[in-house]
Structure formats: structure tokens, C-alpha cells
Amino acid sequence: MLNNIHSLLLTLADPRDPTGIVALAPPKPSKLRQLLELADRHGVLPIVMENLKHLTGRATEPWNSFQPDPAAWEWAQERMRRRTGLSLVLRRQAGELAVRLLEAGLPVIVLKGCDFADRLYPHPSLRPFTDVDLLVPERVLPQARQVFKAMGYQPVPVPMKHATGYGEESWHHPNLPGGMVEIHWNLVNSPSLRRALSVTYDDLQLETHQGKPRPSAAALLLIAAVHGVASHGIDRLQPLGDVVQSVRGTAGVLDEAWLARAVPQTGTERALATALTLAHKIYGEPDCLNLMRRLGIEHRAWPGKLLLTRGVVLRAHAVRDSFRRQLLREFLKRK
């Protein structure tokens, strides 16, 4: 059973106009800070604030008299300024790195981050991000490392369960204020998960935009689903927002024929079905279920659907839910 704050968050986190919000009571001044902190934890604070601004003074009960608590609102605005500033720095880093790699003749695309922000949301500021992710074919990894080193980046050792076999490397520039830069050669980082599902640069459908390669609208959906489910176990609302916006066609019409071929080839049926089912459960978007049925993967969703409830997502990394996410990983490992 969701409390009022959770119900408000789910409705206000939708980038579309929250038409269903009028059935819910506005947050009391003492509860607004709690709502905004929860939204920030889930990566949807900009969307929630934008929707609250839209509803403030709305000439319909019960929202026509709602006014945000000044202290809570100022806290949220300061968080927004910091996150927007970091996103701008990272956007510049991603652009510079991608250009240098392409100039060196190396295939590369920007993953998630600014690509999702630009193509999936009405305004890029609605989708903040905290690092830079680049995807290259594994065969060019040695040359990519040389480009990074020539630009002053240094590898960052990250303690992992296995000694080798991970699908990414972390890099950092000591003189730049941005976050971590990750070079991926597989969307699925874990060696154990890759026994069942694997998505490489060559697996993705790409298009050319302003002279540079980027994922197609259908590839964006696959990236969003695999990232959200396989990498994070849907521990925040933001990955589901990426999925539902992709399904809505905000980045363009989905090439379902390509998806129908790519999903079984990459072993991502379970990840995509879980993401679509949960996106429907959270946002009530019927196209999520319709797409899953057209792709014929609805039967792949049931374990993830049972394990990841709305409460599990809203509680983020609650210890009480850790066994559910571990079971999800085991489920994804099955071929």
C-alpha cells in the first residue's frame, strides 16, 4: 500500500502532464521536503519540480491553493543547480572524448547521459546524469586507451568480485571537475550475466546525426532497458522514465522489426520484458504492454514482475529488498 508521498511521486515523476494528480491531495508543507528528497534520490527531481510549478495555483480543487514551502523549494532549487552544473560539465567531456576517438578513426557512441536527456525528454535539464559513458567495440579498446591517456585521463582501479572479464573501465581526469568516465565494450558489465545476455557496439542499430553515429530510437529503448534491469535492478525511477519515454516515441518511431531480431540475438528478452512490465506498472503507459506483446516476449516478464513491485522500486536500495534483486540477477542469467 503506497502512502500519499509515494503516490504523489509516481504521478509527478511522469514527464507528461500529470492529469491524474487532481485526485491526490497536495503535500503538506511539512511533507514537501520529504517528497523532494525522495524525487532527488530517484533522479526525477527536475520533473517533479516542473510538474509542481505547473500545478501551483491551478484553478481546480484541491490544487488551486497549493503554495510550495519556501525552505523546501529553495533546497530543491540548489540541488537542481548543482546537478545541472555537473551535467553541463559532463556533456562537454563526452563531446570532446567522442570527437577525439572519432578523429582517431575509432567507432564510438555516447551512452545514456546527454543522449537520453536530449532525445527522450521535453528539455535536457529534466534528465540529470552523474558520469560519462562511451561504448566502443572491444577490438579498438587498446587504441581508445591511448586516446584517453593522450588527453590526460588516468585509469581508476575499481574493486570487483572477479579479477577480469568486466565490460567497462573507469577513467578520470585529475584536472577536470567532472565525474567518472567509463569506456564500455558491452552494455552488460558482469561476466556472469553475459553468459546469457550481451549487447555490444556491433549489436546496436545506429544512425548518423550531425555526422556522428548514435543509437536509433529502438536501440535507445534496448539500452535503457538493459541498463535499468541488468545493471541496476531498477533501483530508481529514472531508468523507467527512460524506458517509457522511448516507448512513447519521443526519440522517433521504433523499428520493431529490428527489435524483434535483436532481442533474441542478444538474449535480452527477460531484461526488456521486465523493464516494459514495470514501466507500465509505474506509469500506466499501455504502449509498454502492447509493444511487449507485439514482440512476443510477454511470457518472459513474470519473475521480474513478481520480484520488482512498485514498493521495491520506491524503496530504492532498502536492505529488505536485496534478496529480490539478487533473485532477479539469477533469473537474468538463465538462457
Side-chain angles (χ1 to χ4, degrees):
M1 188 71 178
L2 301 181
N3 60 35
N4 186 58
I5 294 299
H6 285 156
S7 297
L8 281 169
L9 176 65
L10 291 182
T11 305
L12 290 168
D14 195 327
R16 284 187 175 177
D17 183 36
T19 53
I21 198 69
V22 293
L24 299 172
K28 297 178 180 179
S30 60
K31 294 292 185 180
L32 179 60
R33 174 69 177 261
Q34 180 184 346
L35 171 64
L36 295 174
E37 287 180 349
L38 190 59
D40 187 48
R41 192 184 316 157
H42 280 275
V44 295
L45 180 61
I47 299 171
V48 168
M49 291 183 68
E50 188 68 22
N51 283 330
L52 282 174
K53 285 189 288 186
H54 173 73
L55 289 164
T56 300
R58 185 171 180 163
T60 308
E61 287 287 354
W63 288 87
N64 57 351
S65 59
F66 171 70
Q67 291 294 328
D69 174 68
W73 199 253
E74 176 55 34
W75 174 87
Q77 288 182 316
E78 176 59 24
R79 296 291 291 178
M80 283 275 293
R81 285 191 286 268
R82 292 184 181 184
R83 294 198 180 284
T84 300
L86 176 59
S87 294
L88 289 172
V89 171
L90 295 172
R91 177 184 292 272
R92 180 175 179 178
Q93 279 185 261
E96 291 175 346
L97 286 164
V99 167
R100 288 290 292 271
L101 289 167
L102 290 170
E103 287 176 346
L106 305 178
V108 61
I109 57 172
V110 176
L111 280 178
K112 305 171 293 179
C114 56
D115 192 42
F116 278 11
D118 290 344
R119 300 170 64 192
L120 295 178
Y121 293 85
H123 191 278
S125 64
L126 296 178
R127 208 281 188 184
F129 47 98
T130 57
D131 56 15
V132 173
D133 296 278
L134 302 173
L135 179 67
V136 301
E138 186 174 8
R139 62 182 179 275
V140 306
L141 187 58
Q143 299 97 307
R145 290 176 181 141
Q146 292 303 314
V147 171
F148 268 57
K149 290 177 181 178
M151 295 179 67
Y153 285 84
Q154 300 173 356
V156 178
V158 180
M160 296 298 233
K161 179 179 179 180
H162 303 286
T164 59
Y166 287 92
E168 68 180 48
E169 290 181 353
S170 297
W171 294 71
H172 178 70
H173 197 297
N175 299 325
L176 293 178
M180 202 75 70
V181 177
E182 294 180 346
I183 309 177
H184 300 258
W185 54 98
N186 200 301
L187 291 184
V188 183
N189 184 33
S190 166
S192 58
L193 279 179
R194 282 206 309 275
R195 290 197 292 265
L197 65 159
S198 171
V199 184
T200 67
Y201 180 98
D202 295 323
D203 291 323
L204 293 174
Q205 183 185 53
L206 303 180
E207 63 187 27
T208 301
H209 177 71
Q210 296 181 349
K212 302 174 186 175
R214 71 177 188 182
S216 69
L220 274 188
L221 171 59
L222 190 62
I223 292 168
V226 172
H227 168 69
V229 175
S231 299
H232 295 281
I234 308 294
D235 56 1
R236 297 189 303 156
L237 288 175
Q238 188 187 69
L240 289 177
D242 297 336
V243 170
V244 79
Q245 288 294 93
S246 295
V247 171
R248 288 169 174 170
T250 53
V253 177
L254 300 179
D255 185 343
E256 294 185 20
W258 175 80
L259 275 173
R261 296 190 302 271
V263 169
Q265 289 173 358
T266 55
T268 52
E269 301 99 321
R270 292 183 177 89
L272 181 57
T274 299
L276 290 172
T277 299
L278 200 52
H280 173 263
K281 191 183 296 185
I282 294 291
Y283 291 99
E285 176 56 66
D287 284 346
C288 291
L289 295 187
N290 294 335
L291 175 62
M292 185 168 58
R293 290 172 184 141
R294 290 196 299 271
L295 294 175
I297 58 173
E298 64 270 25
H299 62 290
R300 298 288 194 170
W302 69 265
K305 180 180 180 180
L306 293 175
L307 292 169
L308 298 182
T309 64
R310 292 191 300 176
V312 171
V313 175
L314 288 168
R315 288 191 294 268
H317 286 286
V319 175
R320 61 187 281 192
D321 299 318
S322 59
F323 80 96
R324 291 176 177 269
R325 290 195 166 87
Q326 185 56 45
L327 285 175
L328 175 66
R329 287 181 64 84
E330 296 303 316
F331 161 63
L332 293 174
K333 292 176 184 178
R334 297 173 55 192
K335 293 185 179 181

